[in-house]
Amino acid sequence: MSSTEGTWRDTLFVWDGILEIDATNVNSDGEFPVKWEGTWVGSEDCPDAKKVKVPVRGVFDAFVASDNHFLVEGTARPVEAYVSFKPYQISMIGGSGYDLGEGDDKKKHKDDVHDLCLNSLRWSGNLHDQRNDLNFAVGRNEFGSFIAVGWARPGNRLTIGRRYLDEHDKRASW
């Protein structure tokens, strides 16, 4: 039995939203602002992410059906291929953050670190080979370190599954 089995860390948090790029506002280092807005849902008691059901988004809905919203903003910067396996890194620690809690207990939270790595800032449009649409993130907040992986989709939609790590997990130091 793993040290995280049967804990809140077995919850997979699926974030789904639209990535907006402001490429008209590029600074001298080639960095520019981005915004990612959407909703998230938690799938409790799900240590195997492959068994998580796909969150539902209605045909005319902008986001996945959830009362938990997020709006994170950051700066995208191109990185050299030898520095990172993805050509863009986005530090997503700005914006209003994300909802957590229910009813009167719902509050906004922010990540201390949330570095999202993308191969491209736009969906590739290739439904046959989606490797270029893979994205990966690492981060940290008041609840601990997390990793996330997901896909870019049509409409520049990013969907990722976020998992919090046990403090002894070597990935927590990435």
Side-chain angles (χ1 to χ4, degrees):
M1 183 163 138
S2 76
S3 62
T4 60
E5 192 171 310
T7 74
W8 67 272
R9 294 180 195 280
D10 288 339
T11 302
L12 185 71
F13 299 91
V14 178
W15 291 41
D16 180 77
I18 304 297
L19 183 69
E20 295 180 26
I21 296 111
D22 183 0
T24 64
N25 193 9
V26 180
N27 70 18
S28 61
D29 292 327
E31 300 173 338
F32 47 92
V34 295
K35 177 173 84 170
W36 186 30
E37 182 176 12
T39 55
W40 67 267
V41 295
S43 295
E44 296 180 4
D45 300 321
C46 201
D48 184 351
K50 293 183 285 187
K51 295 181 180 178
V52 171
K53 294 193 183 326
V54 175
V56 176
R57 182 172 57 88
V59 173
F60 299 107
D61 295 335
F63 305 123
V64 168
S66 174
D67 291 332
N68 297 308
H69 297 271
F70 68 86
L71 171 58
V72 291
E73 297 174 355
T75 303
R77 66 179 176 85
V79 292
E80 298 298 323
Y82 63 87
V83 175
S84 175
F85 69 97
K86 295 290 182 182
Y88 290 94
Q89 182 174 345
I90 307 173
S91 177
M92 300 293 276
I93 57 174
S96 61
Y98 57 94
D99 293 336
L100 188 60
E102 295 182 24
D104 292 339
D105 293 331
K106 185 177 282 190
K107 293 184 175 43
K108 288 285 187 189
H109 293 262
K110 286 187 165 193
D111 295 328
D112 300 322
V113 175
H114 185 172
D115 291 333
L116 181 61
C117 300
L118 301 166
N119 195 41
S120 172
L121 294 174
R122 301 259 184 235
W123 177 59
S124 73
N126 186 345
L127 294 173
H128 300 290
D129 183 359
Q130 297 183 12
R131 288 176 291 182
N132 285 334
D133 295 318
L134 180 67
N135 57 71
F136 178 77
V138 295
R140 183 178 57 255
N141 60 30
E142 64 193 286
F143 305 108
S145 296
F146 62 85
I147 56 172
V149 67
W151 300 96
R153 298 284 184 220
N156 231 35
R157 177 173 300 280
L158 292 184
T159 304
I160 64 166
R162 177 189 282 205
R163 174 91 65 197
Y164 285 88
L165 303 171
D166 181 272
E167 61 188 39
H168 302 293
D169 189 312
K170 290 184 188 284
R171 297 171 296 174
S173 64
W174 287 355

